[in-house]
Amino acid sequence: MSENGNHEHEQEMIVISNEDGQEETFEVLFQFERDNGHKYILLTPADEDEGEDDDETAEQEVYPFRYEEDGENINLIPIEDESEWDMIEEVLHTLETELNHEDG
C-alpha cells in the first residue's frame, strides 16, 4: 500500500487459468451491476506489448463476463445470451464516448 494514499491510478488485476492450466493476467477495465442483480466485469489482457501503447487508435481486446462472488473469489460466467451481448456493447460504446470526451 502506498503511503501517499493516492490509489486512483492503480488497476485491479485478475489471474485466470486457461484451458491448458496456464495462468493469464487480466486488467479490470470496468465493473457494473444491472437492476436485475447480475454483475458484469470487462477484462483486458495485462500482458500485451507495452510498446504498442504509443498508437492512440490501437484496438484493445475486451473480454466481458457475468460474475458471482463466492467469498474472496469470483466465478466468471461467459456471456451467451444475445440480449446480454447487446447490453455489453452499449456499455462499451458509452465508456468509449466518455473516455474520448475526457481526452479531447
Side-chain angles (χ1 to χ4, degrees):
M1 185 181 256
S2 65
E3 292 183 20
N4 67 9
N6 184 2
H7 299 283
E8 199 171 312
H9 297 289
E10 291 182 23
Q11 290 294 323
E12 186 178 350
M13 302 298 232
I14 291 182
V15 177
I16 301 172
S17 294
N18 65 17
E19 305 87 36
D20 300 327
Q22 295 177 324
E23 292 185 342
E24 297 181 45
T25 303
F26 292 85
E27 181 179 320
V28 176
L29 192 61
F30 191 66
Q31 289 177 270
F32 62 99
E33 185 172 345
R34 301 296 293 180
D35 293 337
N36 62 6
H38 287 172
K39 297 177 183 180
Y40 295 90
I41 190 167
L42 305 176
L43 305 175
T44 186
D47 58 351
E48 294 203 357
D49 294 330
E50 307 246 344
E52 294 180 20
D53 290 343
D54 296 337
D55 184 15
E56 291 181 19
T57 60
E59 291 286 322
Q60 186 176 25
E61 282 188 75
V62 176
Y63 299 96
F65 293 94
R66 186 162 37 98
Y67 73 94
E68 296 172 351
E69 295 175 292
D70 181 17
E72 296 273 326
N73 299 316
I74 63 171
N75 297 321
L76 299 177
I77 303 162
I79 305 295
E80 296 176 350
D81 184 89
E82 190 171 329
S83 64
E84 282 185 304
W85 274 111
D86 293 342
M87 179 271 303
I88 295 284
E89 285 181 2
E90 199 172 305
V91 168
L92 280 170
H93 289 299
T94 302
L95 279 174
E96 183 179 40
T97 301
E98 288 176 6
L99 288 173
N100 286 340
H101 279 74
E102 287 178 10
D103 290 343

